[in-house]
Amino acid sequence: MATPQVRPDVRPWPALWALVLGFFMILVDSTIVSVATPAILTDLDADVSSVVWVTSAYLLAYAVPLLITGRLGDRFGPKKLYLTGLTLFTLASVWCGLTGTIEMLIVARIFQGLGASLMTPQTMAVITRIFPADQRGRAMSLWGATAGVATLVGPILGGVLVDGLGWQWIFFINAPVGVVGFVLALRLVPDLPTNEHRFDLLGVALSSIGLFCLVFGIQEGQKYDWGQISGPISVWSLIAAGLVVIGVFLFWQAKNKGEPLLPLSLFKDRNFSLANTAITTVGFAITAMTFPLMLYAQSVRGLSPTRSALLLVPMAVISGALAPFVGRLTDKAPPRFIAGFGLLCCSVSLFWLSQVMEPTVPIWQLLLPIALLGVANGFMWAPLGTTATRNLPYHQAGAGAGVYNTTRQVGAVLGSAGIAVLMESRLAANLPAAPGGSSAEPSFAGKLPEAIHQGFSDSMAQSLILPASVLIIGLVAALFFTRPAHLQAKAYSGSAKAD
């Protein structure tokens, strides 16, 4: 039975702004660490593979529990789960800044990721439950604009803090933001009705093991050269085991006569299934495109991390400016056209960028496709998120948000792994051979020698074709969206009045 509507005295917009502050902090933290990686490596006397785990541990702890944390929000209330996650994330951030060894930093990042995993599904679940169906587009546009602005703020803020105060402050900065976010959420986010759920413990175990094996295998494949990890365990055997366990999990969910962790009935909603397909490609593309662009900007053009991040200013500004307009449009127009336009713009912008990334191209020619990427962000995030959850019953809001965010994160991991493999392949093909006959392997610290600028630029440009191509899958999925229920009801009401 569906959960009843929330109290009429609930003020949805102040509640949403309170939640967005914490969500913004999570997203900034996902991008800010990359800027501080060289400083962490030097200060903690760590090797490169250990520093990679500072990010890998966070992403794994973030992605793997999302199915479970979304369901916990349905059972105990999204506000309680959000506040718990925010507290854990804030305390773990302080712990990260206080660590003196790379091993303890990795452990602290795991707890940070768990806090983020508790928080993220609750933001979408609350939007679904406190906004009427015909107003969720505007609400989700704010959620989407937050993601766009965070991609800009993270690297710039990271550069400023690392240069001025030290890498520890990329974590310490979360403490005051977390406290303010906690107070605002405590005061402004309503206590929503909960549903009695029996937890599917076997489903929890299978989904956790399957997702961990799959995400770990994909994320760490490049590090182990897609070969052996330890003893008989290889990258591919780990990925295969993850797929098998996820298959067993889905079989159990279909057979479970009680209350499954993942209600497969969610996928009977055509728009929910298609939106999850589309957001997977978006997560893939947005994560993948930043690596070649930033490496090109710093290694070929000689830009500092902060100046490289400033290249993304047009994207963030345009995305933020479009958010209110697209939100209103999403509530009134069929989503296939809005999301389809955004996905098309995103694919075109990356193809365009791949054609202009030359060693001496004027910066303004790079900014044009990046500006189009801002249009894409403005038209993608809100329609996809709104379409995924618009028709879900209230008692499944948390489960639906958990699935949606899980697919987005898995897409991001696939994008990170896929672009790493392709960049390495293109560098081997395009860079001149070293005296020993092997391809030159450049160090990415500072600007590269001019002799290899062209080969390096070509490699980064060619790598962008991968995320641009993957987005076409998302575009096709979006074009098959059906008209949402609230628009169908309006159309039926209009025709009835005409009769």
Side-chain angles (χ1 to χ4, degrees):
M1 188 173 79
T3 303
Q5 295 276 0
V6 296
R7 302 184 311 273
D9 61 324
V10 169
R11 297 184 299 157
W13 283 104
L16 178 59
W17 277 107
L19 292 171
V20 158
L21 180 61
F23 183 53
F24 179 78
M25 182 171 67
I26 293 172
L27 294 173
V28 166
D29 204 76
S30 299
T31 58
I32 201 172
V33 175
S34 60
V35 178
T37 296
I40 294 173
L41 191 149
T42 302
D43 193 47
L44 297 184
D45 193 24
D47 56 35
V48 173
S49 61
S50 297
V51 173
V52 167
W53 263 103
V54 173
T55 297
S56 297
Y58 175 81
L59 290 176
L60 280 168
Y62 186 3
V64 171
L66 280 170
L67 276 181
I68 304 159
T69 56
R71 197 67 172 183
L72 286 171
D74 286 336
R75 172 63 182 85
F76 297 106
K79 179 177 180 177
K80 290 180 180 177
L81 262 290
Y82 178 85
L83 291 175
T84 301
L86 181 57
T87 302
L88 179 58
F89 186 91
T90 304
L91 292 175
S93 296
V94 176
W95 183 9
C96 287
L98 294 174
T99 55
T101 66
I102 193 68
E103 291 80 12
M104 289 307 296
L105 179 58
I106 291 169
V107 173
R109 287 282 281 169
I110 290 173
F111 282 91
Q112 240 194 340
L114 289 173
S117 186
L118 285 168
M119 293 167 65
T120 301
Q122 316 316 326
T123 58
M124 285 187 70
V126 170
I127 290 172
T128 302
R129 295 180 64 178
I130 67 177
F131 284 90
D134 60 353
Q135 294 180 21
R136 285 182 207 151
R138 280 174 288 170
M140 201 64 75
S141 71
L142 176 60
W143 188 81
T146 301
V149 174
T151 59
L152 170 66
V153 172
I156 295 176
L157 182 62
V160 171
L161 290 174
V162 172
D163 291 339
L165 298 171
W167 66 264
Q168 293 88 347
W169 281 90
I170 68 170
F171 298 113
F172 288 149
I173 193 69
N174 290 333
V177 178
V179 171
V180 172
F182 187 94
V183 172
L184 290 177
L186 189 65
R187 291 175 59 87
L188 299 175
V189 177
D191 287 305
L192 299 174
T194 58
N195 296 276
E196 289 296 328
H197 289 296
R198 288 181 297 170
F199 284 102
D200 176 11
L201 296 180
L202 179 58
V204 169
L206 289 172
S207 65
S208 299
I209 294 170
L211 280 173
F212 176 83
C213 292
L214 182 63
V215 172
F216 182 90
I218 293 169
Q219 191 168 289
E220 298 299 303
Q222 184 66 24
K223 174 183 172 181
Y224 293 101
D225 198 25
W226 302 96
Q228 296 301 117
I229 296 176
S230 178
I233 302 174
S234 68
V235 170
W236 289 111
S237 66
L238 202 60
I239 292 174
L243 291 172
V244 169
V245 174
I246 288 174
V248 174
F249 165 72
L250 293 175
F251 177 79
W252 166 243
Q253 298 304 283
K255 291 293 184 182
N256 187 352
K257 301 300 182 184
E259 190 170 2
L261 174 66
L262 172 61
L264 296 181
S265 60
L266 290 172
F267 293 94
K268 292 180 180 178
D269 183 335
R270 176 171 161 179
N271 283 357
F272 180 81
S273 299
L274 291 171
N276 274 277
T277 302
I279 198 61
T280 301
T281 68
V282 171
F284 183 107
I286 296 301
T287 300
M289 60 83 61
T290 56
F291 289 100
L293 178 60
M294 290 296 107
L295 284 173
Y296 161 81
Q298 295 178 40
S299 299
V300 175
R301 305 309 295 263
L303 302 180
S304 67
T306 303
R307 292 181 66 196
S308 299
L310 289 174
L311 290 175
L312 302 177
V313 166
M315 180 186 75
V317 170
I318 293 174
S319 175
L322 284 173
F325 165 74
V326 176
R328 289 191 295 269
L329 191 62
T330 301
D331 289 329
K332 298 175 182 178
R336 69 173 64 169
F337 302 119
I338 308 169
F341 176 73
L343 286 156
L344 177 63
C345 286
C346 195
S347 183
V348 169
S349 68
L350 295 183
F351 276 120
W352 184 2
L353 197 57
S354 74
Q355 298 304 304
V356 298
M357 276 174 54
E358 293 287 337
T360 58
V361 67
I363 292 295
W364 67 266
Q365 290 190 29
L366 296 173
L367 296 180
L368 293 177
I370 290 173
L372 182 60
L373 192 60
V375 175
N377 275 320
F379 278 85
M380 285 190 310
W381 292 96
L384 290 177
T386 308
T387 303
T389 58
R390 179 101 70 178
N391 296 335
L392 296 184
Y394 287 116
H395 70 283
Q396 291 185 336
V403 173
Y404 185 81
N405 283 284
T406 299
T407 57
R408 178 175 61 85
Q409 281 297 111
V410 170
V413 172
L414 287 168
S416 177
I419 201 70
V421 173
L422 187 57
M423 285 193 302
E424 182 179 87
S425 170
R426 299 321 303 156
L427 286 170
N430 291 324
L431 290 186
S438 59
S439 295
E441 293 191 12
S443 167
F444 300 132
K447 191 173 181 180
L448 295 172
E450 189 172 346
I452 62 173
H453 280 186
Q454 187 64 56
F456 193 92
S457 298
D458 290 345
S459 300
M460 297 302 102
Q462 291 161 11
S463 299
L464 284 174
I465 295 175
L466 174 64
S469 302
V470 169
L471 282 164
I472 295 174
I473 300 172
L475 172 60
V476 172
L479 292 177
F480 282 93
F481 283 151
T482 59
R483 187 182 291 265
H486 79 285
L487 290 180
Q488 293 179 13
K490 283 185 178 179
Y492 176 80
S493 173
S495 63
K497 288 179 181 179
D499 292 341

